[in-house]
């Protein structure tokens, strides 16, 4: 199939290259020259393990352009994969989705053949039919579900594991209204053997939000129970090992610690809260999920203060800046809240991450950065572990004060003074 992919972030790029690997030809569209040029030079503009190798292997099956018209004319299906960031008040910013719908509509007005538009961006229930559809219809002069196909197909890719998640999904959700679009999408996903759930468009949109909200709820729940465990002198990991063995519960997403960050969970939960409030609902659980998550990183500081009374002038090493291992992404990273608080307390911050230093430096240009994890451990008065990069298991923590938000076993065994946030 010939597919155009709008937006070359990690969702667009991984999805497009994944479909290229399955034998499709892909045209990427992005407004950013740098991204377009990098993709055409077989380089990935984002860090995602295995992606560049996959791009190299599929050379000739894809290219990138800034030209929507060219991409729409030369493809049968368009996947909208642009970002849906948060506004100041937590509500969803649809400006990129709207802009791409406009461009797609304009290009469709010049195309005679049938074309299918699929929203993959995370959008609140109702968006595809109430916002995207009218924009495309207005710009193209065509009618959805008759002259062109329209669907919503949420993505469930995790940053850092996105390629594996693309090829081995737990499920594929296809939100459609008309038979023709349904059969096109079933054809597109024919190589996948996982359950495929076909729903109406709004339901597909909601499945994405409910999934992310539940994952976030599991984490905040684990943290709340973990905080109680800590006070009672217990190890939350042992507790959740026992809890997760119940097949109704499942062990995943029970890693207690300093909470969830990233470009998806925090933003999606906030957007869902805002939408629920607009509808006159009181989303109590969702609000509590965010509240627990915002307080959790600060517990590390409290634990640090048990052992270092005054932080003023002390050199505190932050091991890990990415919101999770396997990515250079620092959006909503727990490290941001921790570093802000340390600066407020007058500490000198020394930071290190294997991949995310450049992105973190844009937020905190004035703190110090170590050139290696070893240097950070050697030079810090106390160390806080904020991201569980595997390499941090190889460091020598002997003689050190370590406050651990992510459970690095070696630090647990070796450090002179060790505190785990929920263990
Ligand atoms: C998340 C979802 O897991 C994906 O299914 C979804 O497709 C994606 O959002 C999205 O909406 O695009 P992602 O943000 O890449 O994926 O990362 P996760 O692996 O979910 O981790 C999110 C945060 O939760 C990280 O900060 C991680 O450290 C934290 N976490 C995760 C925990 O604190 N404990 C856990 O047990 C699991």
């Amino acid at each position: 199939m010939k597919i155009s992919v709008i937006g070359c972030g990690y969702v667009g790029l991984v999805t497009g290259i994944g479909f290229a690997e399955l034998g499709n030809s892909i045209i990427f569209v992005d407004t950013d020259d740098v991204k377009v040029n990098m993709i055409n030079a077989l380089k990935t503009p984002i860090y995602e393990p295995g992606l560049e190798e996959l791009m190299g292997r599929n050379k000739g099956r894809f290219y990138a352009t800034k030209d929507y018209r060219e991409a729409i004319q030369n493809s049968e299906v368009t996947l909208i994969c642009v970002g849906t960031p948060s506004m100041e008040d937590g509500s969803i910013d649809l400006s990129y989705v709207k802009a791409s719908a406009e461009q797609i509509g304009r290009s469709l007005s010049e195309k005679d053949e049938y074309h299918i538009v699929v929203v993959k961006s995370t959008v609140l229930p109702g968006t595809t039919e109430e916002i995207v559809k009218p924009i495309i219809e207005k710009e193209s002069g065509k009618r959805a579900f008759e002259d062109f196909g329209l669907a919503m197909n949420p993505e469930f890719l995790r940053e850092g594991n996105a390629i594996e998640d693309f090829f081995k999904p737990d499920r594929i959700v296809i939100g459609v209204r008309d038979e023709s679009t349904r059969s096109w999408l079933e054809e597109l996903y024919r190589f996948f053997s996982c359950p495929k759930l076909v729903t109406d468009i709004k339901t597909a949109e909601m499945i994405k939000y409910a999934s992310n909200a539940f994952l976030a709820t599991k984490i905040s729940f684990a943290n709340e129970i973990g905080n109680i465990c800590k006070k009672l002198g217990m190890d939350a990991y042992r507790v959740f090992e026992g809890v997760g063995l119940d097949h109704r519960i499942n062990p995943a997403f029970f890693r207690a610690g300093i909470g969830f960050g990233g470009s998806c969970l925090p933003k999606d939960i906030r957007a869902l809260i805002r939408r629920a409030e607009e509808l006159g609902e009181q989303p109590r659980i969702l609000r509590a999920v965010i509240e627990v998550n915002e307080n959790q990183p600060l517990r590390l500081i409290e634990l640090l203060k048990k052992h270092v009374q005054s932080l003023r002038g002390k050199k505190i090493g932050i091991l890990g800046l990415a919101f999770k291992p396997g990515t250079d992404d620092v959006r909503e990273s727990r490290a941001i809240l921790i570093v802000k608080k340390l600066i407020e307390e007058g500490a000198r911050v020394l930071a290190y991450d294997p991949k995310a230093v450049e992105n973190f430096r844009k937020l905190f240009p004035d703190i110090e950065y170590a050139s290696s994890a070893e240097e950070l451990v050697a030079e810090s008065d106390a160390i806080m572990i904020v991201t569980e990069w595997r390499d941090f298991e190889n460091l020598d923590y002997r003689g050190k004060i370590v406050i651990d938000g992510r459970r690095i076993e070696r630090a647990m065994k070796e450090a002179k003074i060790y505190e785990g946030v929920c263990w």
Side-chain angles (χ1 to χ4, degrees), residues 22-303:
L22 294 174
N24 302 286
S25 44
I26 312 296
I27 306 174
F28 289 105
V29 182
D30 205 287
T31 48
D32 182 345
D33 281 315
V34 177
K35 282 189 181 167
V36 167
N37 294 338
M38 284 183 83
I39 294 167
N40 288 333
L42 304 180
K43 296 255 169 276
T44 163
I46 48 151
Y47 173 74
E48 184 61 39
L51 184 57
E52 210 152 89
E53 291 77 356
L54 209 58
M55 288 171 85
R57 220 168 61 203
N58 285 285
K59 185 175 171 209
R61 286 196 179 146
F62 67 89
Y63 73 94
T65 173
K66 288 175 75 175
D67 188 343
Y68 270 85
R69 200 179 154 275
E70 173 190 337
I72 304 290
Q73 287 292 344
N74 295 300
S75 62
E76 299 150 298
V77 178
T78 297
L79 309 180
I80 300 182
C81 299
V82 296
T84 49
S86 282
M87 313 264 254
E88 278 286 299
D89 65 354
S91 62
I92 189 167
D93 176 357
L94 286 177
S95 52
Y96 301 118
V97 171
K98 288 179 183 165
S100 64
E102 246 175 64
Q103 295 282 353
I104 292 168
R106 266 176 228 156
S107 307
L108 281 182
S109 70
E110 297 172 28
K111 185 174 177 178
D112 296 328
E113 295 86 23
Y114 188 71
H115 194 94
I116 294 191
V117 180
V118 181
V119 176
K120 281 193 86 66
S121 302
T122 299
V123 291
L124 284 162
T127 307
T128 301
E129 285 171 290
E130 289 158 28
I131 296 174
V132 175
K133 175 173 160 286
I135 296 176
I136 301 180
E137 285 181 330
K138 176 171 169 262
E139 297 295 333
S140 65
K142 296 184 174 185
R143 276 163 310 166
F145 314 118
E146 288 175 35
D147 307 327
F148 68 93
L150 182 63
M152 201 282 157
N153 167 219
E155 58 80 21
F156 301 104
L157 309 175
R158 288 164 299 168
E159 281 185 42
N161 292 80
I163 290 176
E164 196 193 328
D165 287 349
F166 177 84
F167 288 108
K168 290 190 202 137
D170 287 339
R171 78 309 207 179
I172 289 164
V173 175
I174 300 176
V176 282
R177 206 157 106 175
D178 63 302
E179 270 309 309
S180 168
T181 309
R182 176 189 176 136
S183 52
W184 271 86
L185 286 181
E186 281 175 345
E187 172 67 11
L188 180 65
Y189 282 113
R190 71 190 179 285
F191 288 117
F192 295 82
S193 56
C194 65
K196 291 168 197 163
L197 184 68
V198 179
T199 67
D200 60 73
I201 292 178
K202 245 184 188 174
T203 303
E205 291 167 327
M206 191 56 162
I207 288 172
K208 168 70 186 192
Y209 275 92
S211 299
N212 273 2
F214 188 70
L215 292 171
T217 305
K218 257 188 127 175
I219 299 170
S220 278
F221 175 80
N223 285 332
E224 187 160 291
I225 297 286
N227 294 339
I228 303 170
C229 291
K230 177 76 181 176
K231 286 268 155 69
L232 292 171
M234 267 183 264
D235 179 350
Y237 273 59
R238 289 297 285 168
V239 172
F240 281 105
E241 220 181 298
V243 175
L245 285 171
D246 185 327
H247 77 278
R248 295 168 304 174
I249 298 179
N250 161 312
F253 270 66
F254 269 154
R255 290 193 327 273
I258 44 175
F260 57 84
S263 64
C264 305
L265 300 189
K267 143 186 104 70
D268 293 348
I269 316 312
R270 285 195 193 105
L272 190 56
I273 291 174
R274 287 288 301 159
R275 185 70 187 119
E277 288 168 349
E278 282 166 18
L279 296 168
E281 286 301 312
Q282 296 296 330
R284 294 183 183 85
I285 294 177
L286 299 179
R287 285 188 194 131
V289 166
I290 293 287
E291 195 185 320
V292 170
N293 199 52
E294 293 306 292
N295 287 326
Q296 206 60 20
L298 304 178
R299 288 186 170 253
L300 275 198
I301 312 267
E302 295 310 312
L303 289 170

